[in-house]
Amino acid sequence: MARIAGVNIPTNKRVTISLRYIYGIGPAKAQAICERLNIADERRVNQLSDDEVLRIRELIDREFRVEGDLRREVAMNIKRLMDLGCYRGLRHRRGLPVRGQRTHTNARTRKGKAVAIAGKKKVTK
């Protein structure tokens, strides 16, 4: 199992797919890394030599902000917004959608499980 940027990437998948397991590397960056190092699309991680894995690791360390550093930066950006007290910071603080989505219905991922309101029973005649 290859270990890149502190993440064990799966060995039986293609290189471009496996690189996506690293936080901060998506489809476009994974493809760019493979093109830059002349690694064919159809190659799998278990077919890579130790030298190629080392080259991938060095390229990612040198040119991309991934995993812990990126997570820390994102957390600091959110904390800064919250400390400023701007609209986006308040939405983060309250656990509501930040980017203008509707909250009357939906938004369950952000708001959590729906809580029933006590004492609001339907009156039957």
Side-chain angles (χ1 to χ4, degrees):
M1 186 168 268
R3 190 166 176 84
I4 299 174
V7 177
N8 292 331
I9 61 174
T11 55
N12 56 341
K13 297 190 179 204
R14 289 187 297 125
V15 178
T16 53
I17 304 298
S18 293
L19 286 176
R20 296 182 200 180
Y21 280 71
I22 301 168
Y23 182 80
I25 295 182
K29 283 186 183 176
Q31 189 70 38
I33 290 168
C34 289
E35 285 174 7
R36 195 127 165 237
L37 298 175
N38 296 323
I39 296 172
D41 278 348
E42 61 275 356
R43 301 248 333 253
R44 299 193 178 264
V45 175
N46 57 10
Q47 297 171 339
L48 294 176
S49 66
D50 290 340
D51 180 53
E52 288 173 319
V53 173
L54 183 66
R55 284 181 16 225
I56 291 172
R57 190 178 299 131
E58 287 173 349
L59 179 71
I60 289 173
D61 287 344
R62 189 174 59 241
E63 298 198 11
F64 297 103
R65 192 175 297 125
V66 293
E67 280 303 321
D69 295 337
L70 182 59
R71 288 182 201 272
R72 195 174 311 106
E73 183 179 329
V74 170
M76 290 303 294
N77 288 340
I78 292 171
K79 186 179 181 318
R80 177 180 52 82
L81 291 171
M82 288 165 56
D83 292 344
L84 283 173
C86 65
Y87 181 78
R88 281 174 56 202
L90 295 175
R91 302 298 283 184
H92 274 293
R93 201 178 300 164
R94 292 181 187 152
L96 293 169
V98 178
R99 297 187 176 180
Q101 296 92 332
R102 119 186 231 115
T103 57
H104 180 70
T105 61
N106 305 332
R108 280 290 139 217
T109 303
R110 211 44 205 167
K111 290 168 77 173
K113 191 153 173 58
V115 180
I117 301 169
K120 189 178 178 188
K121 287 194 173 179
K122 215 174 202 179
V123 180
T124 57
K125 291 184 181 179

